[in-house]
Amino acid sequence: MNEVVLPNDLTQLTTEIKTYQSIGGQAIFEIGRRLKWVKDHDLAHGEFGKWLESIQMNHRTANRFMKITTELANWAPGSNLGWKPLYLIATMPPDEREKPQQLDSGEVKKPDEMTVRELQEVNRKLKEKEESLKAKDRQINQQAEMIDRLNEREPKVVEKTVTVEKTPDDYESVKQKAQQADSIKEQLEKAQKQADYFKKESESAKQLIKIQDDEAEQKRLERLKRKADINIYTLSYNIKNFLNENMLLDDDLNHLSEMSNEAKENISSRLNELQKFIDLIRQTTAGRKIIEGSFK
């Protein structure tokens, strides 16, 4: 739509506005267009407010007329509406202005068929929907950032040096088994943390995300669950390999009985720590069994 050039004569524009005011609702667009022309071209020489008073119009009304002109310049249904419904329609998102909307009464109407009260109701609902979508986007972004931080975090390695007066013959063997036990313990701790995090994320998502047609969050949670299942299954596989590799025969058992007291105390202490941790995992995961590589 090509803009019609208006004169720069303030007196003529004032007269035209007063004329359109007397006509009524059909002149709203022309009034708003002239108000915007006066303001944009500074025809009132910096005293736009005083000029509005001279035509008996306040700033708020003038701003609404100018918004109607700007937003609804090419909107055909507005020719028979008053300025209040036109302003309410102008504040709607552009793609909602001609879409049928369902009211609390159950009726379905287009915006140009609604009363002022009905338009206010629809505007309120649209604003609430927009705020809900923004809140949901913020929640998803926060959860994505949290996952990125967890993935970037490197495992903490703790090194300990044990000084002994005399190294027993079986020291290296005991040391190797203790290191393997520590490795399994760390993997169990990591798996438990991932399971706790997944449980917390799942509960939070159920409370905050209620929009049925959005599958993005559900897919993300499923990916997290699959990742946790894979990690736990890998841990189970590693434990099985550890047990197979360290299966003690009768000769090994006889050899264990001949170890030094210090070596026995060392391996006993490690086994007690591992047993406590295994008991904790059993209590936490009660009811979950591994069946053909999956957890239930």
Side-chain angles (χ1 to χ4, degrees):
M1 180 178 180
N2 296 328
E3 182 179 3
V4 178
V5 178
L6 297 174
N8 291 328
D9 186 344
L10 182 60
T11 302
Q12 181 180 346
L13 291 170
T14 302
T15 302
E16 290 175 348
I17 289 174
K18 288 183 177 180
T19 300
Y20 284 120
Q21 282 178 321
S22 65
I23 295 175
Q26 295 182 354
I28 291 172
F29 291 97
E30 293 298 333
I31 293 174
R33 193 157 62 90
R34 282 162 173 75
L35 290 170
K36 192 172 185 302
W37 185 272
V38 171
K39 185 175 183 180
D40 291 346
H41 292 78
D42 194 24
L43 301 182
H45 305 296
E47 297 185 349
F48 185 68
K50 291 183 178 180
W51 174 72
L52 288 177
E53 292 177 0
S54 71
I55 60 173
Q56 298 181 347
M57 183 177 292
N58 57 45
H59 262 290
R60 185 179 181 185
T61 301
N63 288 335
R64 290 183 173 184
F65 275 54
M66 288 186 287
K67 185 172 182 64
I68 291 170
T69 298
T70 301
E71 296 291 333
L72 305 180
N74 299 319
W75 196 66
S79 60
N80 296 321
L81 300 176
W83 72 267
K84 287 185 177 180
L86 283 175
Y87 174 72
L88 290 171
I89 292 172
T91 57
M92 288 182 178
D95 57 346
E96 300 287 347
R97 291 171 185 167
E98 296 187 29
K99 185 186 299 183
Q101 307 284 344
Q102 184 169 6
L103 304 172
D104 289 342
S105 63
E107 290 186 89
V108 177
K109 295 182 178 180
K110 288 187 176 182
D112 63 307
E113 299 171 342
M114 298 179 187
T115 64
V116 171
R117 184 181 297 275
E118 290 170 341
L119 286 169
Q120 290 172 338
E121 174 191 324
V122 170
N123 270 0
R124 174 178 54 79
K125 290 181 179 179
L126 291 174
K127 185 175 181 181
E128 290 174 354
K129 179 180 178 181
E130 181 181 2
E131 291 299 324
S132 175
L133 291 174
K134 289 181 179 178
K136 181 191 169 192
D137 288 341
R138 288 194 297 269
Q139 178 66 17
I140 292 175
N141 290 336
Q142 290 172 358
Q143 292 173 347
E145 291 175 1
M146 184 181 298
I147 292 173
D148 290 340
R149 288 197 297 269
L150 289 173
N151 289 335
E152 293 173 359
R153 186 180 299 171
E154 296 182 357
K156 183 179 180 181
V157 179
V158 179
E159 296 182 357
K160 294 184 179 180
T161 302
V162 179
T163 304
V164 295
E165 294 181 358
K166 182 180 179 181
T167 303
D169 295 336
D170 54 357
Y171 174 75
E172 290 298 327
S173 175
V174 173
K175 179 180 177 182
Q176 182 178 5
K177 287 180 170 54
Q179 290 175 342
Q180 291 175 335
D182 286 343
S183 176
I184 290 179
K185 181 180 177 181
E186 288 181 2
Q187 293 181 55
L188 288 171
E189 289 175 342
K190 183 177 180 180
Q192 181 62 35
K193 288 180 180 179
Q194 290 179 335
D196 290 342
Y197 173 74
F198 172 75
K199 180 179 179 182
K200 181 178 179 182
E201 285 294 291
S202 179
E203 292 173 352
S204 175
K206 288 179 181 178
Q207 294 175 358
L208 297 177
I209 301 176
K210 298 180 180 178
I211 298 179
Q212 298 178 353
D213 59 347
D214 192 339
E215 299 178 353
E217 182 64 13
Q218 183 62 30
K219 290 181 180 178
R220 188 184 69 81
L221 292 176
E222 289 176 358
R223 288 197 300 271
L224 280 177
K225 184 177 183 301
R226 287 196 298 270
K227 182 178 180 181
D229 285 347
I230 291 171
N231 288 337
I232 294 175
Y233 176 74
T234 301
L235 175 60
S236 175
Y237 180 79
N238 290 338
I239 292 174
K240 182 177 179 181
N241 286 342
F242 171 76
L243 294 176
N244 290 336
E245 292 173 1
N246 293 276
M247 183 65 69
L248 298 179
L249 303 176
D250 291 340
D251 291 342
D252 296 324
L253 294 174
N254 293 331
H255 176 68
L256 288 177
S257 65
E258 297 173 357
M259 287 193 305
S260 66
N261 290 334
E262 184 175 2
K264 290 180 179 179
E265 291 177 359
N266 193 332
I267 191 64
S268 177
S269 175
R270 295 291 185 175
L271 290 175
N272 287 337
E273 291 179 4
L274 183 58
Q275 184 62 48
K276 290 180 181 179
F277 191 80
I278 291 174
D279 291 341
L280 176 61
I281 294 300
R282 287 184 180 278
Q283 294 173 4
T284 304
T285 60
R288 302 185 70 190
K289 298 180 180 179
I290 301 177
I291 301 178
E292 297 181 356
S294 63
F295 281 82
K296 295 187 178 180

